[in-house]
Amino acid sequence: MPGARSVPSMQELIEARRRLAFVGRGAERAAFLANFDVPLRDPGRRFLFHVHGNAGVGKTFLVRELQQLAQEAGALTAYVDESTGSVPEALEAICAQFARQGRRFKDLERLLARHRERRHEADSVLQGSPPAEPSAAGTTLARAGLVGIGMVPGVGPLAGAVDPALLAGAADQVRAGLSAHFRGRDDVRLLLSPEDVLTPVLLEELTRAAARAPRQVLFFDTYERTGPFLDAWLHATMALGDHGAMPANVVVVTAGRNPLDAGRWGGCGDSVAEMPLLPFTEQEAREVLAGRGVVAESVVEEILRVTGRLPVLVSTLAETRPADPDDVGDPSATAVDRFLKWEHDPVHRAVALNCAFPRRLDADVFRAAADCPDEEADALFDWLRGLPFVTERGGGIQYHDVVRAPMLRSQRLRSPRGWTERHSRLAETFGRWRQEAEAGEDGGRLWAHDGWRELRLAESYHLLCARPRTALPVVLREVVDACAAGDVPARQWARVLAEAGRDAGAEEPSRLGSDLLRALDEDGTAAALELLLNRAGFDAPAEALARAVRGSVLRHGGAYERAMTEFDRAIALDPGLVRAHRSRAMTRAEAGDYAAGIAGLDRALALSPDDGRSFAVRGEYHRVLGDYDAALDDLDRGIALDPTRDFAWASRGATRLSRGELDAALADLGRALELKPDYGWALARRARVWRALGEEDRQMADLDRAVAVQPDWAWGVCERGDALRVAGRHAEALADYDRAVELDPGYASAYASRAVSRSALGRHEEALADLDRALGLRPDYAWAHGHRAEILARASRAGEGGTA
């Protein structure tokens, strides 16, 4: 309609009022804005601003103000806080916020989606896929890399990646196995080191965005919590250029309680602007109070005295507009108590008090906590969002710690029964939501779901606050499960222990949570689990579970002997713990003893006879050992129990190929590829079926596809080389063999096969050198011995000499 005016949202008005109330920090704001006008090559240009200071000095308020200033200056911005727990999660937040500003990072979004899929898939594989056959260094390095990101996936039917007769000299089967299960090099690296794969794509996206948005600013708040996983990455990305070129128009703002690590950032002093924040100056505090009509000198002086000019408290008292020094209240009272002294609406008073109990609120949590009439909930939620000590975080809101902590303490001391009842009700609410989230989900995969974890965390927090002594053993068992799920969940549960213990005044969970966080920072999940075992006072079943989880962590780090010790102790404590039996069996198989692996899975299946995963794994072990009848029996049962497990179909197809049942093998491998179209190991095995059927074109097509999706899979590349060699295409075969030994310098069969092609091309001396290398790796390699004799004879006939 002509002359119609758009109506602003309540959120926009709240934000506008906050900005109008923002005073002080003029020097910081001016320095930040002025930096936009400094030429990129000017020595005065700053690429990183670090805001730091004690709690309550207004770091987040300043960061939000700088973000608004940047947007007004035409910059694309993104804000990240402690709601993220890893670099990939931080990148997801950046993508989402840039998209809302009209700039989609489509390539990065797709890669992040694939990262999530692979993590979930890896979690599923971990629950029971066949392990890799070991190679001394490769297993340790690959497993340690997986533990470093908190994921320890299995690798599908790796044992079939190389024929049993050729296993002895193969190197780094663990990496090959990961490639066989996932989509080649990038998928493996997405699990081993996601930053190395994701960050170059982020930099490309930022570079493309710079063409239309010459100013881009990334804000990383609560750096005391996000810094442990962001700081090294930011330094490598910005200062070292480890991931490519960061466009110079990007400015980064970090904010936390501590200054930057001088050991890390000290060499970047001319590119970094430190912004240490102190409490308001007296003039700044007076400006805040005057802006809210508080000008009586006696009142102002009393506020300055009781707040220490801490910005969040000054702002809170300014909102109350006290008219008399006595109205300011006892200095020992909480900031919210002071605010509520002037809030005469009983509903508002109750809402402000009740909503301090949850750590974070969205509209649903608000309704559960506020205990207000339904018809008033939306308006009251918007009112709460406008309070000076409430900040927007991670899609919701939360109270400032400086306000929330003393407020909770006051309510706990004032009404212990009320404290327990309210936390108990919130625990019940989150527990009900958690159960709803579990409906229809595979219990083994829930820990990979962020939404479910957040509900479980909130439930655990409120249980601990309500009854610390009785809830602590339950939550400590959850910590064990969190450690099994990875580093991020482990840190989340350790932090909840520390926070709940602090808020409830319970020393044991507080101290234990802090110690767990320190152990995770210094030595990882194995150390955290050891700490729990030493101090948690578990009963026998809980201790058995903790030892089984710790054994798995050690196993995936390549520490087989220590892992076996933990599994043995777990089984002694709880002979019926299927997890311990299964993991011990897989550890033995990874160490090369497949017969022991089968025996261990016999025991696991006796305890859990409907476990399709264990049947499939045991079937694969039988296949590796050449017992094809037993393999088929197990794989048939595994598929009947879980027909969605692709590796079971692939392993059965490989078993049928070994029995000469080509049509059945083709059908099984085809089904595996329907479930997972880019399953390289299944493609390579199907190629062997096509070869046996005389379908050379189809054989090469499957091998080409396998190598295309897994270009760094040494066995797949060598397999294609063998196919080319058999077809007489020796020059092309040599290229594949060269690539295979580049990827795996200890790959004996690749050297031997390359020797045959080199000899066919008349390069007999090079062929003999390759065979010497193969036999050095595998002295009993009969195939290589036979071809060495043939090549020596051929070289002699050609007049090239050579000695046996």
Side-chain angles (χ1 to χ4, degrees):
M1 293 176 57
R5 297 176 60 191
S6 61
V7 178
S9 69
M10 186 175 293
Q11 291 75 26
E12 290 172 334
L13 294 178
I14 290 171
E15 183 61 31
R17 290 175 185 175
R18 279 183 175 168
R19 294 205 67 211
L20 288 172
F22 190 97
V23 301
R25 311 307 186 197
E28 289 83 0
R29 289 189 287 176
F32 176 77
L33 276 178
N35 190 64
F36 283 137
D37 297 325
V38 178
L40 298 180
R41 298 183 182 278
D42 191 303
R45 175 81 176 195
R46 297 292 180 263
F47 301 104
L48 173 64
F49 290 83
H50 182 61
V51 179
H52 59 91
N54 293 331
V57 297
K59 298 184 294 295
T60 294
F61 277 103
L62 177 59
V63 166
R64 287 299 199 184
E65 174 68 8
L66 297 182
Q67 184 180 21
Q68 187 64 35
L69 291 173
Q71 290 174 349
E72 291 172 357
L76 288 173
T77 70
Y79 174 87
V80 175
D81 60 17
E82 79 275 14
S83 62
T84 65
S86 64
V87 171
E89 289 181 7
L91 297 186
E92 287 183 352
I94 292 170
C95 281
Q97 293 174 61
F98 271 42
R100 287 197 293 270
Q101 297 165 76
R103 181 68 200 188
R104 289 282 303 279
F105 284 2
K106 294 181 181 179
D107 290 346
L108 184 56
E109 288 174 5
R110 283 192 290 268
L111 196 56
L112 285 164
R114 199 165 88 199
H115 175 259
R116 289 193 299 273
E117 292 169 1
R118 291 297 166 266
R119 284 180 64 91
H120 292 164
E121 183 180 351
D123 181 71
S124 174
V125 172
L126 171 62
Q127 298 302 318
S129 66
E133 296 145 334
S135 65
T139 298
T140 301
L141 292 175
R143 295 300 190 187
L146 293 174
V147 171
I149 63 162
M151 291 294 295
V152 280
V155 294
L158 172 64
V162 185
D163 286 339
L166 302 179
L167 289 174
D172 203 4
Q173 284 102 326
V174 169
R175 187 180 69 168
L178 284 169
S179 295
H181 193 90
F182 298 105
R183 293 185 175 184
R185 180 183 181 188
D186 280 353
D187 281 334
V188 176
R189 291 177 69 216
L190 273 174
L191 293 170
L192 292 171
S193 52
E195 296 88 346
D196 291 345
V197 179
L198 296 168
T199 310
V201 181
L202 168 70
L203 299 180
E204 291 170 2
E205 298 277 22
L206 291 171
T207 300
R208 285 194 290 268
R212 294 187 177 180
R215 295 172 178 176
Q216 302 176 75
V217 189
L218 306 179
F219 295 87
F220 299 95
D221 202 358
T222 54
Y223 211 56
E224 66 274 7
R225 292 186 177 178
T226 59
F229 63 85
L230 284 178
D231 197 53
W233 170 73
L234 268 180
H235 183 259
T237 302
M238 298 180 64
L240 303 181
D242 285 355
H243 304 293
M246 169 79 87
N249 74 316
V250 175
V251 174
V252 173
V253 178
T254 54
R257 294 183 181 177
N258 305 310
L260 286 174
D261 182 348
R264 176 172 288 152
W265 292 94
C268 305
D270 57 350
S271 298
V272 175
E274 293 275 1
M275 286 187 171
L277 295 189
L278 299 172
F280 278 153
T281 65
E282 181 174 332
Q283 181 59 35
E284 288 172 332
R286 287 178 177 274
E287 288 180 19
V288 172
L289 295 170
R292 307 308 291 169
V294 182
V295 294
E297 185 61 23
S298 58
V299 174
V300 170
E301 288 182 356
E302 180 65 7
I303 290 176
L304 296 179
R305 183 183 71 82
V306 301
T307 63
R309 303 195 307 276
L310 204 60
V312 67
L313 299 184
V314 172
S315 299
T316 297
L317 289 181
E319 290 288 341
T320 67
R321 298 177 175 84
D324 187 273
D326 291 338
D327 291 340
V328 175
D330 189 320
S332 64
T334 71
V336 176
D337 286 338
R338 294 189 188 112
F339 170 73
L340 294 177
K341 186 174 181 179
W342 290 270
E343 179 52 69
H344 301 297
D345 186 330
V347 174
H348 282 190
R349 291 173 61 87
V351 165
L353 286 167
N354 294 341
C355 288
F357 281 81
R359 295 184 306 153
R360 284 179 287 276
L361 301 97
D362 58 19
D364 294 326
V365 177
F366 172 83
R367 288 175 182 273
D371 196 18
C372 64
D374 284 346
E375 63 273 13
E376 299 179 18
D378 290 342
L380 286 169
F381 185 49
D382 286 330
W383 168 80
L384 186 71
R385 291 173 60 185
L387 297 180
F389 50 81
V390 174
T391 57
E392 302 279 343
R393 289 287 172 85
I397 61 172
Q398 66 186 60
Y399 283 23
H400 196 293
D401 286 344
V402 168
V403 173
R404 181 173 179 264
M407 183 180 184
L408 288 175
R409 183 171 61 251
S410 172
Q411 295 188 84
R412 174 169 52 82
L413 296 175
R414 182 181 301 160
S415 176
R417 288 184 180 277
W419 168 274
T420 298
E421 290 172 1
R422 187 161 293 279
H423 276 296
S424 295
R425 287 201 300 272
L426 286 169
E428 291 172 3
T429 298
F430 281 107
R432 184 173 66 255
W433 293 344
R434 170 185 55 80
Q435 291 171 356
E436 292 171 358
E438 291 172 352
E441 291 288 341
D442 182 345
R445 301 180 184 181
L446 285 171
W447 282 90
H449 295 184
D450 295 341
W452 178 87
R453 287 208 314 267
E454 284 300 322
L455 294 171
R456 189 66 180 258
L457 275 169
E459 180 185 6
S460 299
Y461 168 80
H462 290 295
L463 287 171
L464 282 166
C465 285
R467 295 180 176 83
R469 182 171 297 180
T470 57
L472 183 58
V474 176
V475 176
L476 288 179
R477 182 157 180 153
E478 290 179 9
V479 175
V480 174
D481 289 330
C483 287
D487 187 63
V488 170
R491 290 176 187 279
Q492 289 174 327
W493 257 261
R495 189 172 294 121
V496 154
L497 274 174
E499 291 179 0
R502 177 200 65 200
D503 295 342
E507 183 179 355
E508 186 176 4
S510 176
R511 184 175 62 250
L512 192 52
S514 298
D515 290 347
L516 281 170
L517 286 169
R518 187 160 47 251
L520 287 164
D521 286 338
E522 294 174 357
D523 298 305
T525 50
L529 287 162
E530 184 176 16
L531 185 151
L532 282 175
L533 286 164
N534 291 335
R535 290 174 47 184
F538 287 133
D539 59 17
E543 181 181 346
L545 176 64
R547 292 198 179 279
V549 171
R550 187 166 189 268
S552 294
V553 173
L554 292 168
R555 163 197 160 207
H556 292 297
Y560 294 127
E561 291 185 8
R562 294 166 63 198
M564 291 296 296
T565 298
E566 292 290 13
F567 293 136
D568 290 343
R569 295 174 72 179
I571 291 170
L573 288 163
D574 184 356
L577 185 58
V578 175
R579 180 176 195 159
H581 285 283
R582 183 191 301 118
S583 296
R584 185 172 68 173
M586 295 173 74
T587 304
R588 286 171 170 166
E590 286 184 8
D593 191 346
Y594 286 93
I598 289 171
L601 287 171
D602 290 345
R603 177 59 178 158
L605 283 164
L607 294 167
S608 181
D610 293 330
D611 184 0
R613 297 172 309 200
S614 291
F615 275 116
V617 174
R618 192 174 69 175
E620 173 63 12
Y621 294 168
H622 280 305
R623 188 194 71 79
V624 171
L625 293 177
D627 188 349
Y628 301 131
D629 290 340
L632 279 181
D633 182 59
D634 274 349
L635 290 165
D636 287 345
R637 296 171 73 180
I639 289 171
L641 289 164
D642 184 0
T644 66
R645 195 166 294 278
D646 50 67
F647 83 77
W649 290 96
S651 182
R652 192 171 75 173
T655 303
R656 286 176 162 166
L657 170 62
S658 297
R659 289 162 57 99
E661 301 168 0
L662 301 184
D663 290 340
L666 201 61
D668 279 349
L669 290 163
R671 179 57 181 153
L673 288 163
E674 288 176 8
L675 292 168
K676 185 178 180 181
D678 289 337
Y679 196 167
W681 190 84
L683 285 165
R685 285 289 163 175
R686 191 171 70 174
R688 289 191 171 188
V689 180
W690 293 129
R691 181 182 66 191
L693 291 170
E695 298 276 1
E696 182 179 329
D697 290 344
R698 288 182 171 181
Q699 174 195 6
M700 292 307 305
D702 271 356
L703 289 171
D704 287 343
R705 184 174 162 199
V707 172
V709 298
Q710 299 167 209
D712 287 355
W713 182 24
W715 183 79
V717 174
C718 186
E719 185 80 355
R720 187 174 67 176
D722 287 341
L724 292 166
R725 173 176 55 80
V726 170
R729 297 160 62 180
H730 294 288
E732 295 171 77
L734 281 181
D736 276 345
Y737 293 139
D738 289 345
R739 177 63 175 156
V741 298
E742 176 189 349
L743 292 168
D744 186 352
Y747 198 166
S749 63
Y751 287 108
S753 294
R754 187 170 70 175
V756 174
S757 283
R758 281 179 163 172
S759 180
L761 295 172
R763 297 159 60 178
H764 304 307
E765 289 185 2
E766 294 174 82
L768 290 170
D770 272 345
L771 288 166
D772 288 344
R773 180 67 183 274
L775 290 167
L777 291 165
R778 291 181 53 199
D780 59 348
Y781 194 170
W783 192 86
H785 278 295
H787 278 280
R788 189 172 188 277
E790 290 180 12
I791 292 171
L792 281 170
R794 187 179 305 138
S796 178
R797 288 194 299 271
E800 294 183 14
T803 58

